[in-house]
């Protein structure tokens, strides 16, 4: 089994799957993943006690911030909103539980990788991997975010449209991304 941390990173080696982008070596002399994540969490901390409650929407907030910071062409505001869109979708899809199961067992994990969709070709065990979830979904979120941010969408509506395009849910479900965006944003004062 895999070990999990509150920052959202796997504590054991990632699965090596050709073409997934799971392995990302750190160039010599750069800030470590842990240091960068801690720096970002200090700037945008989760609500007090939220990381002590088991799996919840804040469980992988450090990972969201870390991934969003890779988008060096985005402003700080854009990176924060991208992370919030990812968090909102994850909260609606799995509540932050990497072992969540949906669609009668066809979808699993943080972002509900479906066996006939983004998760096609991966076993259930592989799809539970937080690293695989981010490797498969992060590019989809970035693409959708760039599209809708440049179209002028912000806040709740941005979260709905980014989630709708990245996740491709049943039409009626997409409003939950906006609801989660509002709920989670109200929990912090930054």
């Amino acid at each position: 089994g895999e070990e999990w941390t509150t920052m959202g990173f796997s504590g054991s080696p990632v699965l090596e799957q050709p073409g997934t982008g799971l392995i990302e070596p750190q160039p010599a002399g750069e800030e470590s993943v842990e240091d960068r994540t801690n720096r970002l969490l200090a700037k945008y901390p989760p609500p007090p006690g939220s990381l002590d409650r088991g799996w919840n929407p804040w469980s992988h907030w450090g990972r969201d911030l870390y991934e969003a910071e890779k988008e060096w062409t985005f402003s700080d505001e854009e990176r924060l909103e991208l992370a919030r869109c990812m968090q909102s979708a994850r909260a609606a899809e799995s509540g932050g539980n990497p072992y969540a199961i949906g669609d009668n067992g066809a979808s699993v994990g943080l972002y509900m990788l479906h066996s006939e969709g983004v998760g096609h070709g991966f076993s259930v065990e592989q799809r539970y991997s937080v690293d695989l979830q981010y490797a498969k979904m992060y590019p989809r979120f970035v693409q959708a975010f760039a599209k809708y941010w440049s179209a002028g969408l912000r806040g709740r509506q941005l979260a709905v449209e980014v989630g709708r395009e990245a996740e491709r849910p049943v039409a009626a479900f997409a409003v939950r991304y906006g609801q989660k965006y509002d709920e989670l944003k109200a929990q912090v004062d930054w």
Side-chain angles (χ1 to χ4, degrees):
E2 293 183 69
E3 297 173 17
W4 305 98
T5 71
T6 57
M7 293 186 299
F9 292 92
S10 169
S12 62
V14 295
L15 303 169
E16 291 190 40
Q17 190 71 29
T20 64
L22 285 175
I23 307 294
E24 185 177 319
Q26 178 182 324
E30 284 200 13
E31 185 177 32
S32 73
V33 170
E34 184 176 357
D35 288 346
R36 180 181 297 179
T37 303
N38 287 334
R39 175 177 52 78
L40 292 166
L41 284 171
K43 186 174 181 178
Y44 304 112
S50 63
L51 299 181
D52 301 329
R53 296 188 312 232
W55 297 118
N56 68 75
W58 292 98
S59 298
H60 301 279
W61 178 238
R63 179 74 179 256
D64 295 334
L65 292 170
Y66 174 82
E67 296 293 343
E69 190 171 80
K70 293 178 183 177
E71 299 305 315
W72 59 272
T73 60
F74 288 4
S75 69
D76 285 348
E77 178 187 16
E78 289 169 308
R79 290 182 194 124
L80 178 58
E81 286 303 299
L82 170 59
R84 282 182 167 153
C85 286
M86 292 174 66
Q87 179 191 37
S88 300
R90 183 179 62 254
E93 293 289 340
S94 69
N97 180 353
Y99 300 105
I101 300 170
D103 299 323
N104 296 315
S107 298
V108 300
L110 292 174
Y111 293 105
M112 292 285 122
L113 295 189
H114 195 282
S115 60
E116 298 301 318
V118 176
H120 181 72
F122 296 95
S123 70
V124 170
E125 188 66 29
Q126 288 172 317
R127 286 184 284 139
Y128 281 135
S129 166
V130 171
D131 294 311
L132 179 64
Q133 292 274 329
Y134 275 91
K136 299 305 279 182
M137 294 305 295
Y138 177 72
R140 297 170 66 99
F141 277 100
V142 170
Q143 183 177 12
F145 178 85
K147 174 182 175 181
Y148 291 109
W149 182 269
S150 66
L153 296 183
R154 300 293 185 270
R156 179 189 187 108
Q157 192 59 41
L158 177 66
V160 168
E161 295 307 323
V162 169
R164 181 189 325 265
E165 188 156 318
E167 290 281 355
R168 305 200 197 288
V170 175
F173 189 83
V175 297
R176 293 193 58 205
Y177 303 137
Q179 293 166 345
K180 292 298 181 181
Y181 178 93
D182 289 343
E183 287 173 24
L184 294 165
K185 189 171 181 184
Q187 295 175 15
V188 293
D189 62 0
W190 35 260

